[in-house]
PDB file of all heavy atoms in Angstrom:
ATOM      1  N   HIS A 232     120.951 108.198  93.096  1.00 89.00           N
ATOM      2  CA  HIS A 232     120.913 108.215  91.618  1.00 89.00           C
ATOM      3  C   HIS A 232     119.759 107.497  91.122  1.00 89.00           C
ATOM      4  O   HIS A 232     119.168 107.774  90.046  1.00 89.00           O
ATOM      5  CB  HIS A 232     122.256 107.723  91.079  1.00 89.00           C
ATOM      6  CG  HIS A 232     123.355 108.640  91.212  1.00 89.00           C
ATOM      7  ND1 HIS A 232     123.381 109.839  90.602  1.00 89.00           N
ATOM      8  CD2 HIS A 232     124.475 108.528  91.995  1.00 89.00           C
ATOM      9  CE1 HIS A 232     124.647 110.445  90.897  1.00 89.00           C
ATOM     10  NE2 HIS A 232     125.215 109.722  91.686  1.00 89.00           N
ATOM     11  N   ALA A 233     119.456 106.277  91.754  1.00 86.00           N
ATOM     12  CA  ALA A 233     118.301 105.558  91.308  1.00 86.00           C
ATOM     13  C   ALA A 233     116.929 106.311  91.577  1.00 86.00           C
ATOM     14  O   ALA A 233     116.090 106.128  90.742  1.00 86.00           O
ATOM     15  CB  ALA A 233     118.256 104.194  92.067  1.00 86.00           C
ATOM     16  N   SER A 234     116.908 107.143  92.578  1.00 84.00           N
ATOM     17  CA  SER A 234     115.683 107.896  92.800  1.00 84.00           C
ATOM     18  C   SER A 234     115.547 109.074  91.810  1.00 84.00           C
ATOM     19  O   SER A 234     114.501 109.514  91.602  1.00 84.00           O
ATOM     20  CB  SER A 234     115.717 108.405  94.225  1.00 84.00           C
ATOM     21  OG  SER A 234     116.659 109.521  94.429  1.00 84.00           O
ATOM     22  N   GLN A 235     116.538 109.409  91.126  1.00 84.00           N
ATOM     23  CA  GLN A 235     116.491 110.469  90.089  1.00 84.00           C
ATOM     24  C   GLN A 235     116.399 109.975  88.715  1.00 84.00           C
ATOM     25  O   GLN A 235     116.425 110.646  87.716  1.00 84.00           O
ATOM     26  CB  GLN A 235     117.783 111.342  90.265  1.00 84.00           C
ATOM     27  CG  GLN A 235     118.050 111.980  91.622  1.00 84.00           C
ATOM     28  CD  GLN A 235     116.805 112.828  91.984  1.00 84.00           C
ATOM     29  OE1 GLN A 235     116.294 113.733  91.294  1.00 84.00           O
ATOM     30  NE2 GLN A 235     116.443 112.710  93.239  1.00 84.00           N
ATOM     31  N   SER A 236     116.210 108.677  88.615  1.00 82.00           N
ATOM     32  CA  SER A 236     116.107 107.960  87.243  1.00 82.00           C
ATOM     33  C   SER A 236     114.786 108.167  86.699  1.00 82.00           C
ATOM     34  O   SER A 236     113.824 108.606  87.266  1.00 82.00           O
ATOM     35  CB  SER A 236     116.475 106.495  87.355  1.00 82.00           C
ATOM     36  OG  SER A 236     115.417 105.819  87.991  1.00 82.00           O
ATOM     37  N   ILE A 237     114.706 107.891  85.313  1.00 83.00           N
ATOM     38  CA  ILE A 237     113.425 108.087  84.580  1.00 83.00           C
ATOM     39  C   ILE A 237     112.393 107.113  85.201  1.00 83.00           C
ATOM     40  O   ILE A 237     111.230 107.438  85.289  1.00 83.00           O
ATOM     41  CB  ILE A 237     113.613 107.749  83.178  1.00 83.00           C
ATOM     42  CG1 ILE A 237     114.461 108.839  82.483  1.00 83.00           C
ATOM     43  CG2 ILE A 237     112.320 107.575  82.411  1.00 83.00           C
ATOM     44  CD1 ILE A 237     114.903 108.674  81.077  1.00 83.00           C
ATOM     45  N   SER A 238     112.744 105.800  85.545  1.00 80.00           N
ATOM     46  CA  SER A 238     111.730 104.927  86.174  1.00 80.00           C
ATOM     47  C   SER A 238     111.249 105.389  87.351  1.00 80.00           C
ATOM     48  O   SER A 238     110.092 105.115  87.734  1.00 80.00           O
ATOM     49  CB  SER A 238     112.464 103.492  86.303  1.00 80.00           C
ATOM     50  OG  SER A 238     113.490 103.512  87.160  1.00 80.00           O
ATOM     51  N   SER A 239     112.009 106.128  88.242  1.00 77.00           N
ATOM     52  CA  SER A 239     111.547 106.563  89.483  1.00 77.00           C
ATOM     53  C   SER A 239     110.532 107.787  89.206  1.00 77.00           C
ATOM     54  O   SER A 239     109.594 107.991  89.931  1.00 77.00           O
ATOM     55  CB  SER A 239     112.721 106.985  90.399  1.00 77.00           C
ATOM     56  OG  SER A 239     113.225 105.952  91.052  1.00 77.00           O
ATOM     57  N   ASP A 240     110.878 108.567  88.162  1.00 75.00           N
ATOM     58  CA  ASP A 240     109.963 109.631  87.756  1.00 75.00           C
ATOM     59  C   ASP A 240     108.640 109.154  87.379  1.00 75.00           C
ATOM     60  O   ASP A 240     107.599 109.665  87.752  1.00 75.00           O
ATOM     61  CB  ASP A 240     110.625 110.572  86.770  1.00 75.00           C
ATOM     62  CG  ASP A 240     111.898 111.328  87.249  1.00 75.00           C
ATOM     63  OD1 ASP A 240     111.931 111.491  88.374  1.00 75.00           O
ATOM     64  OD2 ASP A 240     112.609 111.756  86.390  1.00 75.00           O
ATOM     65  N   VAL A 241     108.606 108.081  86.609  1.00 81.00           N
ATOM     66  CA  VAL A 241     107.347 107.431  86.190  1.00 81.00           C
ATOM     67  C   VAL A 241     106.620 106.950  87.365  1.00 81.00           C
ATOM     68  O   VAL A 241     105.426 107.105  87.586  1.00 81.00           O
ATOM     69  CB  VAL A 241     107.528 106.434  85.124  1.00 81.00           C
ATOM     70  CG1 VAL A 241     106.361 105.617  84.791  1.00 81.00           C
ATOM     71  CG2 VAL A 241     108.125 106.979  83.839  1.00 81.00           C
ATOM     72  N   SER A 242     107.329 106.225  88.230  1.00 77.00           N
ATOM     73  CA  SER A 242     106.639 105.638  89.507  1.00 77.00           C
ATOM     74  C   SER A 242     106.165 106.819  90.305  1.00 77.00           C
ATOM     75  O   SER A 242     105.154 106.703  90.939  1.00 77.00           O
ATOM     76  CB  SER A 242     107.727 104.840  90.244  1.00 77.00           C
ATOM     77  OG  SER A 242     107.140 104.420  91.447  1.00 77.00           O
ATOM     78  N   ARG A 243     106.835 107.909  90.415  1.00 74.00           N
ATOM     79  CA  ARG A 243     106.480 109.022  91.295  1.00 74.00           C
ATOM     80  C   ARG A 243     105.167 109.622  90.692  1.00 74.00           C
ATOM     81  O   ARG A 243     104.310 110.146  91.465  1.00 74.00           O
ATOM     82  CB  ARG A 243     107.587 110.070  91.311  1.00 74.00           C
ATOM     83  CG  ARG A 243     107.511 111.020  92.467  1.00 74.00           C
ATOM     84  CD  ARG A 243     108.694 111.769  92.584  1.00 74.00           C
ATOM     85  NE  ARG A 243     109.866 111.108  92.989  1.00 74.00           N
ATOM     86  CZ  ARG A 243     111.012 110.980  92.278  1.00 74.00           C
ATOM     87  NH1 ARG A 243     111.172 111.645  91.084  1.00 74.00           N
ATOM     88  NH2 ARG A 243     112.083 110.283  92.672  1.00 74.00           N
ATOM     89  N   ILE A 244     105.056 109.615  89.384  1.00 78.00           N
ATOM     90  CA  ILE A 244     103.831 110.185  88.724  1.00 78.00           C
ATOM     91  C   ILE A 244     102.593 109.375  89.200  1.00 78.00           C
ATOM     92  O   ILE A 244     101.515 109.913  89.476  1.00 78.00           O
ATOM     93  CB  ILE A 244     103.905 110.150  87.284  1.00 78.00           C
ATOM     94  CG1 ILE A 244     104.929 111.309  86.785  1.00 78.00           C
ATOM     95  CG2 ILE A 244     102.602 110.489  86.547  1.00 78.00           C
ATOM     96  CD1 ILE A 244     105.350 111.248  85.279  1.00 78.00           C
ATOM     97  N   PHE A 245     102.731 108.035  89.182  1.00 81.00           N
ATOM     98  CA  PHE A 245     101.591 107.296  89.426  1.00 81.00           C
ATOM     99  C   PHE A 245     101.413 106.859  90.846  1.00 81.00           C
ATOM    100  O   PHE A 245     100.245 106.726  91.354  1.00 81.00           O
ATOM    101  CB  PHE A 245     101.667 105.827  88.606  1.00 81.00           C
ATOM    102  CG  PHE A 245     101.513 106.106  87.135  1.00 81.00           C
ATOM    103  CD1 PHE A 245     102.713 105.923  86.290  1.00 81.00           C
ATOM    104  CD2 PHE A 245     100.318 106.403  86.607  1.00 81.00           C
ATOM    105  CE1 PHE A 245     102.525 106.153  84.942  1.00 81.00           C
ATOM    106  CE2 PHE A 245     100.209 106.583  85.187  1.00 81.00           C
ATOM    107  CZ  PHE A 245     101.341 106.491  84.436  1.00 81.00           C
ATOM    108  N   THR A 246     102.407 106.804  91.677  1.00 80.00           N
ATOM    109  CA  THR A 246     102.232 106.313  93.181  1.00 80.00           C
ATOM    110  C   THR A 246     102.643 107.477  94.115  1.00 80.00           C
ATOM    111  O   THR A 246     102.303 107.346  95.165  1.00 80.00           O
ATOM    112  CB  THR A 246     103.215 105.125  93.342  1.00 80.00           C
ATOM    113  OG1 THR A 246     104.595 105.504  93.250  1.00 80.00           O
ATOM    114  CG2 THR A 246     102.881 103.974  92.468  1.00 80.00           C
ATOM    115  N   GLY A 247     103.325 108.432  93.597  1.00 77.00           N
ATOM    116  CA  GLY A 247     103.712 109.501  94.488  1.00 77.00           C
ATOM    117  C   GLY A 247     105.056 109.281  95.187  1.00 77.00           C
ATOM    118  O   GLY A 247     105.421 110.145  95.964  1.00 77.00           O
ATOM    119  N   SER A 248     105.689 108.211  94.974  1.00 74.00           N
ATOM    120  CA  SER A 248     106.970 107.941  95.642  1.00 74.00           C
ATOM    121  C   SER A 248     107.930 107.264  94.569  1.00 74.00           C
ATOM    122  O   SER A 248     107.459 106.761  93.565  1.00 74.00           O
ATOM    123  CB  SER A 248     106.789 107.070  96.848  1.00 74.00           C
ATOM    124  OG  SER A 248     106.346 105.780  96.501  1.00 74.00           O
ATOM    125  N   ALA A 249     109.232 107.294  94.932  1.00 73.00           N
ATOM    126  CA  ALA A 249     110.188 106.659  94.079  1.00 73.00           C
ATOM    127  C   ALA A 249     110.062 105.174  94.061  1.00 73.00           C
ATOM    128  O   ALA A 249     109.255 104.610  94.794  1.00 73.00           O
ATOM    129  CB  ALA A 249     111.603 107.072  94.521  1.00 73.00           C
ATOM    130  N   THR A 250     110.806 104.483  93.229  1.00 79.00           N
ATOM    131  CA  THR A 250     110.661 103.023  93.126  1.00 79.00           C
ATOM    132  C   THR A 250     111.191 102.362  94.492  1.00 79.00           C
ATOM    133  O   THR A 250     111.965 102.924  95.214  1.00 79.00           O
ATOM    134  CB  THR A 250     111.548 102.441  91.975  1.00 79.00           C
ATOM    135  OG1 THR A 250     112.931 102.844  92.235  1.00 79.00           O
ATOM    136  CG2 THR A 250     111.079 103.036  90.618  1.00 79.00           C
ATOM    137  N   ASP A 251     110.654 101.218  94.732  1.00 81.00           N
ATOM    138  CA  ASP A 251     110.979 100.482  95.924  1.00 81.00           C
ATOM    139  C   ASP A 251     112.473 100.275  96.013  1.00 81.00           C
ATOM    140  O   ASP A 251     113.132 100.269  97.048  1.00 81.00           O
ATOM    141  CB  ASP A 251     110.269  99.168  95.953  1.00 81.00           C
ATOM    142  CG  ASP A 251     108.815  99.317  96.256  1.00 81.00           C
ATOM    143  OD1 ASP A 251     108.332 100.479  96.697  1.00 81.00           O
ATOM    144  OD2 ASP A 251     107.925  98.304  96.005  1.00 81.00           O
ATOM    145  N   LYS A 252     113.165  99.894  94.880  1.00 85.00           N
ATOM    146  CA  LYS A 252     114.585  99.650  94.841  1.00 85.00           C
ATOM    147  C   LYS A 252     115.358 100.911  95.348  1.00 85.00           C
ATOM    148  O   LYS A 252     116.283 100.728  96.244  1.00 85.00           O
ATOM    149  CB  LYS A 252     114.954  99.259  93.367  1.00 85.00           C
ATOM    150  CG  LYS A 252     116.483  98.998  93.357  1.00 85.00           C
ATOM    151  CD  LYS A 252     116.823  98.635  91.837  1.00 85.00           C
ATOM    152  CE  LYS A 252     118.339  98.510  91.672  1.00 85.00           C
ATOM    153  NZ  LYS A 252     118.700  98.235  90.313  1.00 85.00           N
ATOM    154  N   ALA A 253     115.028 102.023  94.849  1.00 85.00           N
ATOM    155  CA  ALA A 253     115.698 103.290  95.332  1.00 85.00           C
ATOM    156  C   ALA A 253     115.512 103.493  96.823  1.00 85.00           C
ATOM    157  O   ALA A 253     116.436 103.900  97.536  1.00 85.00           O
ATOM    158  CB  ALA A 253     115.241 104.376  94.435  1.00 85.00           C
ATOM    159  N   VAL A 254     114.264 103.294  97.274  1.00 88.00           N
ATOM    160  CA  VAL A 254     113.964 103.577  98.753  1.00 88.00           C
ATOM    161  C   VAL A 254     114.746 102.586  99.610  1.00 88.00           C
ATOM    162  O   VAL A 254     115.351 102.987 100.587  1.00 88.00           O
ATOM    163  CB  VAL A 254     112.509 103.551  98.940  1.00 88.00           C
ATOM    164  CG1 VAL A 254     112.080 103.561 100.424  1.00 88.00           C
ATOM    165  CG2 VAL A 254     111.769 104.620  98.267  1.00 88.00           C
ATOM    166  N   TRP A 255     114.827 101.335  99.158  1.00 92.00           N
ATOM    167  CA  TRP A 255     115.475 100.352  99.994  1.00 92.00           C
ATOM    168  C   TRP A 255     116.936 100.572  99.989  1.00 92.00           C
ATOM    169  O   TRP A 255     117.736 100.346 101.028  1.00 92.00           O
ATOM    170  CB  TRP A 255     115.093  98.849  99.616  1.00 92.00           C
ATOM    171  CG  TRP A 255     113.797  98.480 100.090  1.00 92.00           C
ATOM    172  CD1 TRP A 255     112.621  98.277  99.415  1.00 92.00           C
ATOM    173  CD2 TRP A 255     113.531  98.140 101.486  1.00 92.00           C
ATOM    174  NE1 TRP A 255     111.664  97.916 100.235  1.00 92.00           N
ATOM    175  CE2 TRP A 255     112.200  97.809 101.539  1.00 92.00           C
ATOM    176  CE3 TRP A 255     114.278  98.199 102.678  1.00 92.00           C
ATOM    177  CZ2 TRP A 255     111.520  97.461 102.754  1.00 92.00           C
ATOM    178  CZ3 TRP A 255     113.634  97.867 103.855  1.00 92.00           C
ATOM    179  CH2 TRP A 255     112.375  97.631 103.889  1.00 92.00           C
ATOM    180  N   MET A 256     117.516 101.038  98.885  1.00 93.00           N
ATOM    181  CA  MET A 256     118.909 101.272  98.928  1.00 93.00           C
ATOM    182  C   MET A 256     119.283 102.439  99.727  1.00 93.00           C
ATOM    183  O   MET A 256     120.239 102.473 100.503  1.00 93.00           O
ATOM    184  CB  MET A 256     119.408 101.689  97.413  1.00 93.00           C
ATOM    185  CG  MET A 256     119.670 100.368  96.643  1.00 93.00           C
ATOM    186  SD  MET A 256     120.651 100.680  95.061  1.00 93.00           S
ATOM    187  CE  MET A 256     119.413 101.379  94.107  1.00 93.00           C
ATOM    188  N   LEU A 257     118.445 103.564  99.757  1.00 94.00           N
ATOM    189  CA  LEU A 257     118.663 104.595 100.696  1.00 94.00           C
ATOM    190  C   LEU A 257     118.492 104.183 102.168  1.00 94.00           C
ATOM    191  O   LEU A 257     119.335 104.576 102.975  1.00 94.00           O
ATOM    192  CB  LEU A 257     117.741 105.805 100.386  1.00 94.00           C
ATOM    193  CG  LEU A 257     118.008 106.553  99.007  1.00 94.00           C
ATOM    194  CD1 LEU A 257     116.714 107.397  98.709  1.00 94.00           C
ATOM    195  CD2 LEU A 257     119.159 107.358  99.102  1.00 94.00           C
ATOM    196  N   VAL A 258     117.530 103.511 102.419  1.00 96.00           N
ATOM    197  CA  VAL A 258     117.231 103.090 103.830  1.00 96.00           C
ATOM    198  C   VAL A 258     118.368 102.179 104.262  1.00 96.00           C
ATOM    199  O   VAL A 258     118.906 102.421 105.473  1.00 96.00           O
ATOM    200  CB  VAL A 258     115.872 102.533 104.022  1.00 96.00           C
ATOM    201  CG1 VAL A 258     115.719 101.768 105.399  1.00 96.00           C
ATOM    202  CG2 VAL A 258     114.743 103.399 103.742  1.00 96.00           C
ATOM    203  N   SER A 259     118.730 101.191 103.527  1.00 96.00           N
ATOM    204  CA  SER A 259     119.828 100.259 103.991  1.00 96.00           C
ATOM    205  C   SER A 259     121.163 100.999 104.005  1.00 96.00           C
ATOM    206  O   SER A 259     122.031 100.678 104.891  1.00 96.00           O
ATOM    207  CB  SER A 259     119.833  99.048 103.121  1.00 96.00           C
ATOM    208  OG  SER A 259     120.050  99.390 101.746  1.00 96.00           O
ATOM    209  N   GLY A 260     121.338 101.972 103.105  1.00 97.00           N
ATOM    210  CA  GLY A 260     122.637 102.668 103.172  1.00 97.00           C
ATOM    211  C   GLY A 260     122.783 103.459 104.369  1.00 97.00           C
ATOM    212  O   GLY A 260     123.846 103.627 105.069  1.00 97.00           O
ATOM    213  N   VAL A 261     121.669 104.239 104.783  1.00 97.00           N
ATOM    214  CA  VAL A 261     121.838 104.948 105.946  1.00 97.00           C
ATOM    215  C   VAL A 261     121.943 104.090 107.180  1.00 97.00           C
ATOM    216  O   VAL A 261     122.758 104.412 108.085  1.00 97.00           O
ATOM    217  CB  VAL A 261     120.414 105.800 106.145  1.00 97.00           C
ATOM    218  CG1 VAL A 261     120.336 106.465 107.545  1.00 97.00           C
ATOM    219  CG2 VAL A 261     120.391 106.878 105.038  1.00 97.00           C
ATOM    220  N   ALA A 262     121.282 103.019 107.283  1.00 97.00           N
ATOM    221  CA  ALA A 262     121.482 102.076 108.382  1.00 97.00           C
ATOM    222  C   ALA A 262     122.872 101.545 108.521  1.00 97.00           C
ATOM    223  O   ALA A 262     123.515 101.519 109.628  1.00 97.00           O
ATOM    224  CB  ALA A 262     120.462 100.886 108.287  1.00 97.00           C
ATOM    225  N   ALA A 263     123.444 101.136 107.336  1.00 96.00           N
ATOM    226  CA  ALA A 263     124.861 100.651 107.286  1.00 96.00           C
ATOM    227  C   ALA A 263     125.818 101.676 107.673  1.00 96.00           C
ATOM    228  O   ALA A 263     126.725 101.476 108.451  1.00 96.00           O
ATOM    229  CB  ALA A 263     125.163 100.010 105.986  1.00 96.00           C
TER     230      ALA A 263
END
């Protein structure tokens, strides 16, 4: 849900990837 937010969309426009928070939540969630 964080990766689909407006802030992630803005980050994706400038950096090409979602926000760090969204990425870390996904990675730590998969690991857990």
